[in-house]
Amino acid sequence: MIQFMLLFSRQGKVRLQKWYHAKADKDKKKIMRELITNILSRKPKMCAFLEWRDVKIVYKRYASLYFCCAIDHTDNELLTLELIHRYVELLDKYFGNVCELDIIFNFEKAYFMLDELLIGGEVQETSKKNVLKSIAEQDLMQEEQDISKSVLEEIGLS
């Protein structure tokens, strides 16, 4: 089971974080600071799996972003690496060659995609097609809501 997932830049700025186990904010900040420092200090050719505290860390760098997951000791590292890759593929498909700015300015979409892919630290949907369909439906609902809101504003009912 995935304990948490982090996306951070090469400068160490956290761009997205999702925790599947409750932790105090103070502990989260400490964990993120230690983990980010540890990963950023590693050489590019080093293994992408770490034994850290009571979890295994699986990470992968794509362009200027690091995608990092903490998993239980009994979980498969390669499956987690594949899950990270699947998430990056979804982001790429939706944003068209995703970059750090896409995550910064559209973080709600990035979280929505992650929630469609994972629930409670477990894989919910493996099909990219189904996840993207879900996201398209959500976009459509949001557009319809924006249109109806603007119509109400025009007639003075908002």
Side-chain angles (χ1 to χ4, degrees):
M1 181 171 161
I2 295 175
Q3 306 281 324
F4 60 85
M5 184 169 191
L6 300 173
L7 269 71
F8 55 92
S9 67
R10 287 186 300 185
Q11 292 76 33
K13 299 236 186 212
V14 177
R15 298 303 182 197
L16 184 139
Q17 58 178 310
K18 186 73 173 186
W19 299 80
Y20 297 105
H21 286 286
K23 297 214 185 285
D25 285 343
K26 185 179 173 184
D27 293 337
K28 287 180 185 179
K29 287 178 184 174
K30 185 178 179 189
I31 288 169
M32 286 189 295
R33 187 175 52 250
E34 285 179 27
L35 196 54
I36 290 170
T37 303
N38 194 339
I39 291 173
L40 290 176
S41 67
R42 293 173 63 86
K43 304 256 188 283
K45 296 286 184 187
M46 293 177 89
C47 181
F49 310 138
L50 295 172
E51 294 282 332
W52 186 76
R53 292 188 181 184
D54 58 339
V55 293
K56 284 192 270 188
I57 303 297
V58 179
Y59 71 93
K60 179 88 170 121
R61 180 178 164 198
Y62 289 93
S64 65
L65 284 174
Y66 283 88
F67 293 74
C68 171
C69 287
I71 59 173
D72 295 332
H73 280 288
T74 56
D75 288 346
N76 187 327
E77 300 93 344
L78 294 176
L79 285 176
T80 307
L81 205 55
E82 182 61 33
L83 180 72
I84 290 171
H85 187 70
R86 176 64 45 111
Y87 184 52
V88 171
E89 286 178 329
L90 283 168
L91 291 169
D92 267 347
K93 265 244 196 309
Y94 184 79
F95 292 113
N97 200 12
V98 70
C99 68
E100 191 174 346
L101 288 175
D102 292 323
I103 303 293
I104 293 169
F105 293 118
N106 299 295
F107 65 91
E108 67 282 344
K109 290 292 178 202
Y111 276 112
F112 184 73
M113 279 186 229
L114 188 57
D115 289 341
E116 285 295 313
L117 195 61
L118 295 171
I119 286 209
E122 298 289 344
V123 177
Q124 171 185 307
E125 181 61 67
T126 57
S127 168
K128 286 187 285 188
K129 185 178 176 182
N130 288 346
V131 171
L132 290 170
K133 182 180 172 190
S134 230
I135 293 163
E137 289 171 0
Q138 193 253 358
D139 285 346
L140 186 62
M141 283 190 288
Q142 192 172 8
E143 285 175 23
E144 289 172 357
Q145 184 180 19
D146 290 344
I147 290 170
S148 63
K149 189 176 181 180
S150 66
V151 169
L152 289 174
E153 286 174 355
E154 283 179 18
I155 59 175
L157 293 176
S158 65

